[in-house]
Amino acid sequence: DGLSVDKEGMTRIRNISKKMPFVVVPCHRSHIDYLLIHYVFYMNNIQLPFIAAGSNLSFFPMGYIFRKSGAFFLRRSFKGNKVYSEVFSKYLAILLKEGLPLEFFIEGGRSRTGKMVVPKYGLLSMLLQAYQEKYCENLALIPVYIGYDRVIEEKSYLKELAGESKTQENAAEILKSSKVLARKFGRVYVNIGEPMVMQSYLEAQDKQMEEMTIEERQSLYRKIGYELVLEINNVSVVTPFSLVACVILSHDRRGISHNDLMGILNEFYEYLQVRKVKFAETFSNHEKAINDALNIFVQSGFIDKIEAEEDEVEEMQEVVYTLKEEKRLNIEYYKNNILHFFIPLCFVATAIVKNNEDTISLNQIIEKFRFLKTLLWNEFIFDEHRDDVEEVNEVLAYLYDKNMITSVEHDGQVFIEIKGRGSRKLKPYADLIHNYLESCWIVMRSCLYLKKTPLTKKDWLKKIMVLGDRMYRKGEVSRRESLSQANYQNVILYLEDAQLITTITGEKTDKKSGKKETLYTPTENRAEMEVLRRRLFRIL
């Protein structure tokens, strides 16, 4: 339906292109991203970048066309092939030496969940190494947000989250997908983040790169990667589609009245305004934008709209929207597009709402905030420069201004008490992350399988998917969107980092790699596992 482009950002890129080579670092939501960046640059008279593309796109006949259009292909992994790695890094260095612009997706692949994926550092480290070796005098990394009202790969993403294998790209798939050209997917949004100029950035570090140890360099690459991803999140756009998705999934009943929906939506909208986030242009006509988004949800079959009966008594006349359970994951993708803006408030709301007492101490809120942040560390991109206490106090100050809470002091401690309808207003914020906590609970329960026998990640995930479906059917978990393979994998990462599970080398050999299988097994930290299980159970 249209393309919204950050014109000021484009001017910044054009000015930078006259001074130094630059690297475009966009988020990756769709295969359309490749076409979009080239189209936008072309229309703004900026030299088109060479694109680092996965070798999965090098299929006949498109591989030839992509290569002639500026793509260069790379393997998903360089492990065990030093020559390939050396040649590839030298190729990048020569492109920089020639002053040519580059583009790579720091997430490594398309996000199947709608959130930013934890950054990968391989290509970034090669580019910084080339800069350090003086292949170019300066270098700019430019974070770019690309957002869609709806993505064309929606169905394939849902299949992958449900545990199906990714379909390999091929010519037949391209021909079959041509029918999407007849459908409407709404608007596309392109925003440019603050460029990261390497010369000034590295000069501001405590040590110069040549003085750093290998560990310190890896830490630097990680820091730069996270800052790029954070900046992409910061310049992401709140669309009517994503805001309505948040509201619908913040409600735990099967249906919601139009009035209740608008009440929650206005609460969310006001909070985002305070956060000074970027809104889509369509919000200039707020009411029309929301109604259009709701109509698209209805037309897409995500929700049903039940109109008021004409002969109904006036007090009972209301429009009701009901959510189809099997469509929750579709909507979850769009909720996730903007969920990062709400995360601090979600954590604080969860700490307050899930508390059994009328009041809760400030220290308890901070402690629960830190627990949730650690538990969901692999799900969201957190700003490591922000202090937890500072973030909690910012959220509490907002809730205080909105008359949802009040504070009292008792025995030298500050306690937070919910005022009037505060609990009702806080619950939707807490419910925004409820499905992630349920995913954690499912994986925690599945650890019993590991006690019986060590399992490969693939076999364990299969058992988790089956267990999650059974728990959902029994009513032990309430949100269908918690049955996500991506969520499960992030919980496994957390359990590994917390040293509650570990890997061992099995006896069988993996058919693909030819190496011994890696198996998961519980560690001896059973007391810590039980503490985690009880804490999570109390929250849920």
Side-chain angles (χ1 to χ4, degrees):
D1 286 339
L3 184 61
S4 300
V5 180
D6 176 3
K7 292 292 184 184
E8 290 181 9
M10 284 294 150
T11 301
R12 285 204 303 272
I13 295 178
R14 196 182 302 110
N15 292 336
I16 284 173
S17 69
K18 297 171 185 176
K19 302 172 186 174
M20 65 190 82
F22 64 90
V23 181
V24 182
V25 187
C27 59
H28 201 6
R29 301 286 159 84
S30 169
H31 279 315
I32 302 300
D33 297 342
Y34 308 110
L35 307 172
L36 199 68
I37 291 289
H38 269 56
Y39 174 75
V40 170
F41 276 34
Y42 179 77
M43 295 303 290
N44 285 273
N45 298 310
I46 300 171
Q47 186 177 356
L48 305 187
F50 286 82
I51 304 178
S55 54
N56 57 304
L57 294 177
S58 184
F59 61 89
F60 180 82
M62 297 308 297
Y64 175 82
I65 296 170
F66 291 152
R67 192 181 292 279
K68 289 293 182 181
S69 304
F72 56 95
F73 301 106
L74 69 153
R75 298 175 187 175
R76 289 297 179 191
S77 174
F78 292 6
K79 283 182 182 177
N81 198 330
K82 290 183 179 179
V83 175
Y84 183 84
S85 178
E86 186 66 29
V87 170
F88 193 88
S89 60
K90 194 63 68 177
Y91 177 73
L92 290 178
I94 295 300
L95 289 175
L96 289 180
K97 187 177 181 180
E98 295 292 328
L100 297 168
L102 297 172
E103 176 186 342
F104 79 97
F105 297 97
I106 197 164
E107 297 167 282
R110 289 168 296 157
S111 168
R112 267 66 174 174
T113 61
K115 305 193 308 290
M116 288 299 298
V117 176
V118 173
K120 307 288 189 297
Y121 312 112
L123 281 181
L124 181 63
S125 64
M126 289 181 182
L127 291 166
L128 293 176
Q129 188 67 32
Y131 170 71
Q132 190 205 351
E133 292 172 4
K134 309 295 185 201
Y135 277 90
C136 55
E137 289 183 14
N138 205 349
L139 174 66
L141 304 177
I142 303 174
V144 176
Y145 168 79
I146 306 172
Y148 301 83
D149 275 341
R150 293 188 67 186
V151 291
I152 63 171
E153 295 98 330
E154 196 176 278
K155 288 183 180 178
S156 65
Y157 289 172
L158 291 179
K159 288 178 182 177
E160 289 178 45
L161 291 174
E164 288 188 25
S165 298
K166 175 180 176 290
T167 304
Q168 189 66 27
E169 287 80 3
N170 55 62
E173 289 295 319
I174 291 281
L175 292 172
K176 279 195 290 183
S177 66
S178 61
K179 61 186 177 184
V180 304
L181 297 175
R183 292 162 57 194
K184 282 202 171 187
F185 291 87
R187 296 184 69 82
V188 187
Y189 309 87
V190 180
N191 271 353
I192 312 301
E194 193 61 38
M196 188 182 287
V197 180
M198 282 298 99
Q199 192 175 65
S200 53
Y201 182 89
L202 294 173
E203 282 174 359
Q205 302 305 307
D206 296 331
K207 272 188 183 180
Q208 296 303 304
M209 272 186 72
E210 51 270 18
E211 298 171 2
M212 293 181 180
T213 63
I214 293 174
E215 290 76 17
E216 286 172 333
R217 281 190 195 181
Q218 288 175 341
S219 178
L220 176 67
Y221 302 151
R222 180 178 177 279
K223 180 172 178 264
I224 292 172
Y226 262 83
E227 288 185 18
L228 287 167
V229 170
L230 272 171
E231 184 61 14
I232 292 171
N233 265 348
N234 289 339
V235 296
S236 57
V237 176
V238 175
T239 67
F241 212 75
S242 58
L243 187 56
V244 169
C246 278
V247 175
I248 289 173
L249 291 180
S250 72
H251 192 75
D252 55 3
R253 296 179 186 174
R254 286 191 296 274
I256 183 171
S257 71
H258 183 80
N259 289 342
D260 285 347
L261 184 145
M262 292 306 297
I264 297 171
L265 191 142
N266 289 332
E267 286 286 341
F268 285 3
Y269 185 78
E270 285 176 22
Y271 176 68
L272 292 171
Q273 281 186 310
V274 171
R275 287 285 307 266
K276 293 183 170 60
V277 306
K278 295 178 183 289
F279 287 95
E281 308 166 354
T282 44
F283 271 111
S284 57
N285 188 336
H286 188 277
E287 188 175 338
K288 182 180 184 300
I290 298 305
N291 284 332
D292 286 349
L294 283 167
N295 288 334
I296 291 172
F297 273 121
V298 172
Q299 290 162 15
S300 303
F302 292 173
I303 60 176
D304 288 324
K305 182 179 181 181
I306 304 169
E307 300 280 3
E309 296 287 341
E310 287 183 13
D311 58 347
E312 191 70 75
V313 293
E314 189 176 342
E315 290 80 3
M316 301 294 286
Q317 283 186 352
E318 60 178 1
V319 174
V320 174
Y321 299 98
T322 60
L323 173 58
K324 297 177 180 179
E325 282 296 300
E326 67 275 14
K327 296 296 183 181
R328 292 187 74 98
L329 259 174
N330 296 68
I331 301 176
E332 172 76 4
Y333 181 93
Y334 300 103
K335 178 192 98 173
N336 283 341
N337 289 174
I338 61 170
L339 183 55
H340 56 278
F341 290 127
F342 292 102
I343 289 302
L345 182 44
C346 290
F347 286 177
V348 172
T350 300
I352 296 173
V353 170
K354 303 294 183 180
N355 184 49
N356 294 326
E357 306 295 327
D358 293 333
T359 60
I360 181 171
S361 72
L362 176 58
N363 289 339
Q364 280 181 294
I365 293 174
I366 293 168
E367 191 268 334
K368 288 183 178 181
F369 182 96
R370 286 173 173 157
F371 168 70
L372 291 169
K373 187 174 179 179
T374 305
L375 183 67
L376 301 177
W377 182 259
N378 298 301
E379 285 291 356
F380 305 103
I381 305 298
F382 296 100
D383 187 346
E384 295 179 26
H385 301 298
R386 295 295 309 277
D387 180 68
D388 293 339
V389 176
E390 181 187 343
E391 283 205 275
V392 169
N393 284 329
E394 274 185 16
V395 171
L396 292 176
Y398 172 78
L399 299 179
Y400 186 83
D401 288 343
K402 296 290 291 180
N403 288 318
M404 293 189 212
I405 60 168
T406 186
S407 61
V408 292
E409 198 167 325
H410 184 66
D411 292 337
Q413 272 200 72
V414 175
F415 285 82
I416 303 300
E417 187 176 346
I418 300 177
K419 285 178 67 178
R421 300 176 67 187
S423 182
R424 185 178 174 184
K425 289 185 176 182
L426 280 172
K427 191 175 184 299
Y429 292 108
D431 282 349
L432 283 175
I433 60 165
H434 189 80
N435 60 299
Y436 290 101
L437 300 178
E438 288 193 331
S439 296
C440 292
W441 182 242
I442 293 167
V443 177
M444 290 288 297
R445 287 283 305 276
S446 77
C447 288
L448 291 171
Y449 294 125
L450 302 183
K451 286 185 178 181
K452 188 175 180 181
T453 180
L455 295 168
T456 64
K457 187 174 186 178
K458 185 178 179 181
D459 289 340
W460 189 17
L461 280 170
K462 282 181 183 176
K463 288 183 177 291
I464 296 172
M465 294 299 295
V466 173
L467 175 65
D469 186 62
R470 188 163 70 244
M471 290 172 70
Y472 172 72
R473 290 171 186 271
K474 282 175 66 181
E476 287 184 66
V477 296
S478 60
R479 306 296 178 93
R480 195 180 183 96
E481 61 270 30
S482 65
L483 312 182
S484 163
Q485 184 166 262
N487 291 8
Y488 298 154
Q489 288 175 326
N490 285 329
V491 182
I492 290 172
L493 280 175
Y494 163 75
L495 293 175
E496 275 191 278
D497 292 340
Q499 297 181 348
L500 298 175
I501 60 171
T502 189
T503 54
I504 58 173
T505 304
E507 294 180 4
K508 292 182 181 178
T509 302
D510 185 87
K511 292 178 182 178
K512 286 186 179 179
S513 65
K515 297 178 181 178
K516 293 285 187 181
E517 286 184 332
T518 299
L519 304 174
Y520 284 95
T521 187
T523 64
E524 295 301 313
N525 298 333
R526 291 172 187 170
E528 287 90 336
M529 179 71 94
E530 182 60 20
V531 169
L532 173 62
R533 192 191 69 81
R534 289 183 180 183
R535 290 194 72 172
L536 192 54
F537 182 78
R538 281 198 296 270
I539 289 175
L540 288 168

